[in-house]
Amino acid sequence: DRVSLNFLTPLLRNKIYVVTVTGLTDCAGNPFGTANTARVGLYEPLLRTDIVINELLFNPPSTSVDYIELYNRSEKIITLRQTYLANLNTAGAISSIVQLSAEDRLLFPGDYMVATENPLLVKSSYVTLNADAFVTVGTMPSFNDDEGNAIVLNEQGNVIDSVGYKDEWHFALISNEEGVSLERINTSGASQNEENWHSAASNVNYGTPTYKNSQSGINATVS
């Protein structure tokens, strides 16, 4: 399920390459079809604010599971191998640290990635415009239904982004918050700002995993 490519010249930093495969088949003789390209590039160290928590489902419906969506707002290529999720325990210490990928799974500038224990359940509950933008996590950190903390760490254990959320951040007129995700309004705005978060819209079934938030930019002045 993989190949090793050797190039005559080294790859350049800060450049995204597209590899296209033609003329190959699988072992049964089936051609590649249209899904024959892949982006590659050299990843950079993950630093604070490079990626942000963009959407969080902490009170999933009974037929689904929690998910957390990350957005790469930097100009850098990031590897999920050096990216970790966590929360805070009752003593206020970082705990439940989980690596997003054991291999170099790349997150390119402007891209979204959704971490969850069961992508199939999330896909069955919400429209997902990019079915490949999922990473399966064996055990997600616990995100309580009423309030909690979602944290992103780098390989050195430094906090890249964190959100201490509350169910009170949901739109006041929503009578049942089960299955409703919290969406970040402004990716450049502060993470720990209630006004920078809003419940996902009803016309997207209250969640937008893998693509632009339904509430994105409704208040561009948030800071």
Side-chain angles (χ1 to χ4, degrees):
D1 61 354
R2 66 195 63 195
V3 296
S4 177
L5 302 178
N6 297 305
F7 298 98
L8 296 178
T9 57
L11 300 182
L12 300 177
R13 294 195 175 276
N14 302 315
K15 184 173 181 179
I16 299 174
Y17 299 84
V18 177
V19 175
T20 303
V21 175
T22 58
L24 294 183
T25 65
D26 63 14
C27 295
N30 300 308
F32 262 73
T34 58
N36 64 337
T37 64
R39 290 176 296 172
V40 296
L42 300 177
Y43 60 80
E44 301 287 340
L46 177 58
L47 301 177
R48 184 170 177 80
T49 74
D50 282 344
I51 61 177
V52 292
I53 298 168
N54 195 56
E55 184 177 350
L56 181 62
L57 180 68
F58 53 86
N59 185 3
S62 58
T63 56
S64 193
V65 290
D66 292 349
Y67 69 74
I68 182 169
E69 179 188 73
L70 304 180
Y71 173 71
N72 184 355
R73 66 179 185 182
S74 75
E75 297 299 320
K76 298 157 54 175
I77 301 173
I78 303 297
T79 175
L80 298 185
R81 183 175 58 81
Q82 297 178 351
T83 309
Y84 298 76
L85 296 181
N87 60 14
L88 295 180
N89 60 23
T90 55
I94 294 176
S95 65
S96 303
I97 300 174
V98 56
Q99 186 180 26
L100 285 186
S101 177
E103 298 183 325
D104 282 316
R105 179 83 179 272
L106 301 182
L107 181 61
F108 292 89
D111 278 5
Y112 304 89
M113 184 64 67
V114 176
T116 182
E117 293 179 4
N118 194 324
L120 289 178
L121 290 182
V122 176
K123 293 175 184 179
S124 67
S125 299
Y126 303 92
V127 175
T128 54
L129 297 185
N130 185 358
D132 295 327
F134 280 92
V135 58
T136 303
V137 177
T139 303
M140 288 276 285
S142 176
F143 300 129
N144 296 333
D145 291 350
D146 54 350
E147 61 179 308
N149 305 89
I151 302 172
V152 180
L153 306 171
N154 65 6
E155 196 171 33
Q156 291 73 39
N158 299 320
V159 175
I160 303 304
D161 193 29
S162 64
V163 178
Y165 65 86
K166 297 182 179 180
D167 58 359
E168 300 169 358
W169 289 12
H170 276 298
F171 184 49
L173 296 182
I174 294 179
S175 58
N176 183 6
E177 299 162 357
E178 184 177 281
V180 182
S181 75
L182 271 179
E183 294 184 330
R184 191 186 192 103
I185 296 171
N186 187 343
T187 57
S188 298
S191 296
Q192 199 55 49
N193 182 351
E194 178 181 352
E195 295 182 358
N196 198 27
W197 294 88
H198 199 283
S199 304
S202 59
N203 62 359
V204 293
N205 199 31
Y206 298 107
T208 54
T210 75
Y211 63 101
K212 185 177 180 179
N213 290 344
S214 63
Q215 306 293 357
S216 177
I218 64 173
N219 183 357
T221 63
V222 172
S223 61

